[in-house]
Structures are given as C-alpha cells and as structure tokens.
Amino acid sequence: MEIMYSSTRNAANKLTASQAILQGLAPEGGLYVPERIPALDLPLDELPKLSYQETAYIVMKKFLTDFTEEELRECIRNAYDEKFDDPQIAPIHKADQAFYLELFHGATIAFKDMALSILPYLMTTAARKQGESHEIVILTATSGDTGKAALAGFADVPGTKILVFYPKDGVSSIQEKQMVTQKGENTCVIGIRGNFDDAQTGVKNLFSDEELKEQLDQAGFRFSSANSINIGRLVPQIVYYVYAYGRLLGAGEIQEGYPVNVTVPTGNFGNILAAYYAKQMGIPIGKLICASNENKVLFDFFKTGVYDKNRDFVLTISPSMDILVSSNLERLIYRLAGDDVKKNVAFMRSLGEKGSYEISEGMLKNLSDFVGGYATEEETEEEIRRLYQKTGYVIDPHTAVASSVYQRYREDQKDSAPGLIVSTASPFKFARSVMKAILSKEEEKDDFQLIEELSEISGVRIPKAVDELRTAPVLHKKVIERSEMKQAVKEFLGIEE
Ligand SMILES: *Cc1c(COP(=O)(O)O)cnc(C)c1O
C-alpha cells in the first residue's frame, strides 16, 4: 500500500515519498510526515539473519513506496559500502551492562553519516523519477558537523553540486580542517567572516532570492537542502534500531519480543523520532529516553508539557546538542494532536511569537513512551571517566550525556530491561574534551598529540578520517564577507552576470 506524506501545516498538501524528498521543507514551513507508520511485517526471529543493507531495504521500502526495488537497492549499495570502516555498519559494543550502538563508523565518524551517505542517492533518484532535468545544488550553512557529513555524502555524486558556508572563527580547528580538505569536483567550501547565525541567515536569504532562483533555473540548476527535516534523512535512521534489535536477539542478549529501552543523545529530535517510528513499526522498544545536555528544553517539556525556548543558550562539550528549537519535535506534536493541522499550527505560531507553547493534559499523557533526562557538564565528564576506568571503553561527550542519563534512569526506576545507548560520535572527534575528562585536567598539547594519546589509552586505532587530516592538502581557501555570498554561488556555478 502506498504511503503518502502530508505537511504538518497544510492537510491538503500531500506528496509521494520521492516528491517529499525533493522538496525537503513544505512551502508553508511544515514538515512532511508519513500518513501512517507501516508495520514491519516480518517475524522478529528473521532479523538476526539480515545484513545492515538487507535490513535497510526491508525498512525503507515500507516507507518509500514509490521507489522501485531496483532503485532502492542501488541507493543502499552506494551508501553503505567501504566508506564505513566496519562491515556491520552499525556495530554494538557491550560495556557495563549496556549496549552502545556505534553510529560513527562512516566517513566523518559521527552519526549524521548514517543518513547523509544515502540522502544524495535518494535525492538524485527522486529527481529522475519526477522528471527533474535540473542539476541539484545543495546549499548549507554549518556549525561544523552537518556540513562535513553533507560534503562527504554528496562529493562526486553525479547530478549534484554542494556548497557549504561555515563561520570562519566559529568551528573547531579539526572541524575546519575536515571541511577545507574535502575532495570532489562538485564540492565548494567557503568561510564567512561572522558567526553561525550570519552564515545561516545568509543561506536563508539565498534560498528566498527570486532573482537568483530565476538565474539558476535558466542555467539548469535548482537549490535543495540537506538539513535534518528532510524525510529522506529520517527514514534511513529507523533502520539501525531495527538492525540493533536483530543483533541483540541473534547474540542471545534478549529474548524474542522482550523490550529494549533506548537512550538517545538529542538535539534536533531526529534520531529519537526515528526510534519512535521503529517502535510503531513493531520493534519491541520500551522507553524512549531522551537525553539532553544543559540546554534541557526537552527535559522540561517532557516533565511539564511546556516547551519554552526563552532561556540562556549554553555552550557545552556536546555541541551538536546545543539546540533550543528541536525542529523535528513538530512531527511528534502533530501526531500527538491527532494529526490535526490547526492545533499544530497554533503551537508553532505560539513558538514563533512567544517562544513557547503548552500542550494539553491529554497530549502529555500520550507522551508516556518518552522519558526526559539531562546531564550537566560535570556529570558528562564523570561518565566518560567512570566508564573508562571500569571497562576501558571510551565514549565521546554526546554519548556520555546519554550514558549518564541512562545510568540514572536504571537506578531510579529499577527497570531491568536491556538498555541500548545510541553512540553518536567517535571519541576521536572530541579528543580534547575526552582526554580532559579522563585525566581530570586540561593538557597543553595539540589536537593530534591528544588523538594519539587517546588511541594509546583506549587501544583503538586512530580512525582513517582523522589520520588523513594530518597530511591532507587544503583545497578550499576562500573566506568572504556575508554580503559576497550571492556572488560566490554564481561563481561556483559558472553563472555570468
Ligand atoms: C546531530 C547530533 C546529535 C543530535 O541528533 P538529533 O537527531 O539532532 O537529535 C547528537 N550527537 C551528535 C554527535 C550529532 O552530530
């Protein structure tokens, strides 16, 4: 049965999967949601026999119903290949009675690779299906991680170009190095003099520039976005929850049908929403534990039913979770409101105007699958140190937030169900914070010395993605003012005035 996608802000706007992937965000600002969540329709004991790629096919074909089998298999083959340094793609590491689902074995050693390695293929396939003759130009502003993962995903994918703007002094030196050494004929990386907001506002202006759109159209290009509200990023994230259940079952760690609690370090609410969809497909997931850092808007929301972004923004050692507006939460709100566009629009308007909204008592009750938790900076460091000292396993600060929240949940609730902790970044990506946590003091060493030390104490080889950076040539040197962004786009695309 075909699954259609409708906008959370306009019930009349219904698209097929490939149309929704091409469009990204709905014109009225809504997010596309599947009209229903398909059942997995597979006995659970079949799961342990499936590879990651086979699991991906079974899950994704349920959602992307207008893709043919051949198209989908081709996308999966192109995405989940030797770019990943583990043949299991998403292996599980057991430590201190918990199961760490490692989503950092892709090209940029963070979990965004799980979706961004397949999105380019889903997009170009969708474009072909829709008879779109224009080349896709991905335009992104990044605070660090997403930009690099998008670059790695789109590099040398035929029919696409990608241009990433980053704040020149607003990303870490490793992050900058990762981006400016990006290979690929179709890639371009430019530093902006300003902060992340400047870069993001600049990109938003480019997207809504009608004159530029017209010029692009004539030159045979169309803009698109790779950000996390695209349904083509959400669906591939459901896969690893299904796969993880199969692996645990196959290893005899759980009995068939028994629930697993899942803890997710959360920022934009994409990853944990995918776990919720996996549960609705029929995977036995107990609690969905939403872990925040000190920017704990979601923790407060789950406790009180009030979403309130009016608060100080805290810079933490888990920067990918430093978010005050979790854009994917809108998809859950819409569902809790009974797929009622009017109610959802009222909440989102309130968020836009007052910076807050409050859901009803009834909606809050329906949130009982979710548990909110948060870890302070101290607790996060303490968890890295504790787990390392007890087991020798080293986790990154984002994963440590989840791990800390999970430990507290298990103690407080006496819930003995197995716990799956989603591990979203390699500790090598945050070697400085990780080494400081383990040694309880800051060291006067450069990034690569710390990376080597981390490798020694953990017994884990330095990932290729990090090792390569030492010698990789800088290929992108351009730094511009915000006012020059439009010109830079035209130059990159070879559009004459
Ligand atoms: C993006 C990111 C997150 C947050 O994921 P969401 O889907 O936005 O909730 C957590 N950890 C890392 C390392 C990330 O890059």
Side-chain angles (χ1 to χ4, degrees):
M1 252 228 300
E2 178 138 55
I3 302 245
M4 297 294 286
Y5 291 79
S6 67
S7 162
T8 53
R9 299 193 194 181
N10 175 5
N13 182 3
K14 282 196 207 330
L15 302 179
T16 65
S18 63
Q19 289 169 332
I21 288 171
L22 257 190
Q23 241 186 52
L25 193 69
E28 67 287 342
L31 276 57
Y32 288 109
V33 284
E35 284 196 302
R36 59 189 173 80
I37 303 295
L40 185 65
D41 264 347
L42 188 79
L44 292 174
D45 67 0
E46 294 286 321
L47 290 177
K49 301 173 198 156
L50 303 176
S51 68
Y52 191 88
Q53 292 82 353
E54 287 162 338
T55 311
Y57 175 69
I58 285 171
V59 172
M60 290 174 64
K61 78 163 193 231
K62 293 275 177 192
F63 282 91
L64 310 181
T65 47
D66 71 331
F67 283 64
T68 67
E69 168 162 2
E70 208 182 10
E71 286 167 343
L72 206 48
R73 287 203 190 273
E74 178 71 13
C75 290
I76 291 167
R77 200 165 33 241
N78 281 318
Y80 304 114
D81 60 9
E82 316 75 59
K83 288 191 287 296
F84 286 78
D85 69 8
D86 190 302
Q88 287 189 43
I89 308 295
I92 294 175
H93 183 99
K94 186 178 183 181
D96 193 26
Q97 299 176 62
F99 300 96
Y100 291 83
L101 176 61
E102 296 185 347
L103 303 181
F104 55 74
H105 289 275
T108 75
I109 59 174
F111 107 97
K112 304 263 183 324
D113 290 330
M114 301 304 294
L116 280 166
S117 38
I118 195 164
L119 182 70
Y121 298 101
L122 294 176
M123 248 186 202
T124 49
T125 306
R128 204 164 54 235
K129 295 176 81 65
Q130 296 300 325
E132 171 66 67
S133 55
H134 287 27
E135 198 168 345
I136 294 169
V137 180
I138 299 292
L139 208 56
T140 304
T142 185
S143 54
D145 281 348
T146 305
K148 176 61 189 183
L151 282 163
F154 281 90
D156 289 330
V157 173
T160 70
K161 289 191 188 305
I162 175 163
L163 175 49
V164 171
F165 293 104
Y166 72 96
K168 176 71 186 142
D169 299 314
V171 300
S172 78
S173 64
I174 292 273
Q175 284 175 325
E176 180 174 34
K177 199 125 204 244
Q178 278 190 308
M179 287 191 279
V180 298
T181 56
Q182 178 64 47
K183 292 183 202 141
E185 286 296 314
N186 63 338
T187 66
C188 179
V189 179
I190 298 177
I192 300 292
R193 286 191 201 94
N195 58 25
F196 172 61
D197 270 343
D198 294 322
Q200 186 158 48
T201 309
V203 165
K204 278 191 185 148
N205 291 343
L206 293 173
F207 270 116
S208 56
D209 187 325
E210 290 299 326
E211 184 201 46
L212 184 62
K213 201 169 155 196
E214 182 60 29
Q215 289 173 321
L216 243 68
D217 190 45
Q218 280 175 12
F221 297 109
R222 75 173 269 177
F223 279 145
S224 193
S225 147
N227 71 19
S228 82
I229 47 82
N230 194 310
I231 194 75
R233 273 186 66 178
L234 195 52
V235 170
Q237 295 184 356
I238 303 167
V239 174
Y240 44 77
Y241 292 104
V242 177
Y243 180 70
Y245 194 85
R247 303 307 297 188
L248 291 177
L249 197 57
E253 298 285 4
I254 43 172
Q255 278 177 292
E256 190 177 331
Y258 277 68
V260 174
N261 292 324
V262 173
T263 308
V264 186
T266 298
N268 242 331
F269 210 74
N271 203 352
I272 194 166
L273 187 69
Y276 176 67
Y277 284 175
K279 177 169 180 167
Q280 295 198 315
M281 286 186 90
I283 295 298
I285 291 175
K287 292 295 181 194
L288 295 153
I289 304 169
C290 176
S292 301
N293 62 25
E294 289 184 10
N295 295 291
K296 58 182 182 60
V297 193
L298 288 166
F299 169 78
D300 294 339
F301 171 68
F302 286 122
K303 209 167 79 177
T304 64
V306 177
Y307 193 96
D308 187 357
K309 72 164 180 132
N310 299 307
R311 59 182 77 205
D312 288 339
F313 178 81
V314 186
L315 284 172
T316 72
I317 56 170
S318 47
S320 300
M321 297 159 67
D322 292 346
I323 286 174
L324 292 181
V325 177
S326 297
S327 42
N328 268 297
L329 185 67
E330 180 171 343
R331 289 188 160 111
L332 180 64
I333 297 294
Y334 172 81
R335 177 122 311 175
L336 292 174
D339 295 356
D340 187 327
V341 163
K342 262 211 191 102
K343 283 188 187 157
N344 179 60
V345 167
F347 290 132
M348 295 309 136
R349 185 173 304 140
S350 172
L351 182 64
E353 287 166 6
K354 294 193 302 187
S356 69
Y357 60 85
E358 177 168 13
I359 61 172
S360 68
E361 198 90 354
M363 284 172 73
L364 188 58
K365 275 216 189 77
N366 286 335
L367 269 178
S368 59
D369 280 345
F370 290 87
V371 178
Y374 75 99
T376 63
E377 292 288 271
E378 270 174 13
E379 288 167 333
T380 305
E381 292 191 343
E382 170 58 29
E383 180 63 6
I384 294 173
R385 187 162 53 241
R386 183 196 72 81
L387 193 65
Y388 171 68
Q389 284 172 355
K390 189 162 179 192
T391 70
Y393 184 53
V394 180
I395 54 177
D396 98 290
H398 301 79
T399 309
V401 167
S403 192
S404 168
V405 165
Y406 171 68
Q407 295 296 339
R408 185 136 22 88
Y409 169 80
R410 197 168 60 177
E411 281 160 29
D412 291 354
Q413 301 301 317
K414 310 274 181 269
D415 183 343
S416 61
L420 187 73
I421 293 170
V422 178
S423 183
T424 51
S426 159
F428 287 96
K429 196 154 189 177
F430 299 94
R432 186 167 296 276
S433 303
V434 169
M435 287 307 294
K436 174 169 176 267
I438 288 175
L439 302 171
S440 300
K441 67 171 179 354
E442 183 104 50
E443 289 200 294
E444 303 263 324
K445 290 181 177 160
D446 75 23
D447 288 325
F448 286 107
Q449 284 172 314
L450 290 169
I451 283 165
E452 263 173 30
E453 233 169 81
L454 178 55
S455 176
E456 268 162 40
I457 65 150
S458 63
V460 175
R461 250 198 7 246
I462 299 175
K464 204 171 93 209
V466 173
D467 207 32
E468 281 174 352
L469 290 181
R470 295 171 200 254
T471 52
V474 172
L475 302 171
H476 305 271
K477 295 186 178 147
K478 205 169 193 174
V479 179
I480 62 172
E481 301 296 332
R482 204 178 105 183
S483 58
E484 298 168 321
M485 287 169 72
K486 186 169 172 177
Q487 188 52 36
V489 171
K490 289 189 197 172
E491 274 172 29
F492 174 50
L493 298 177
I495 298 173
E496 298 298 323
E497 276 304 324

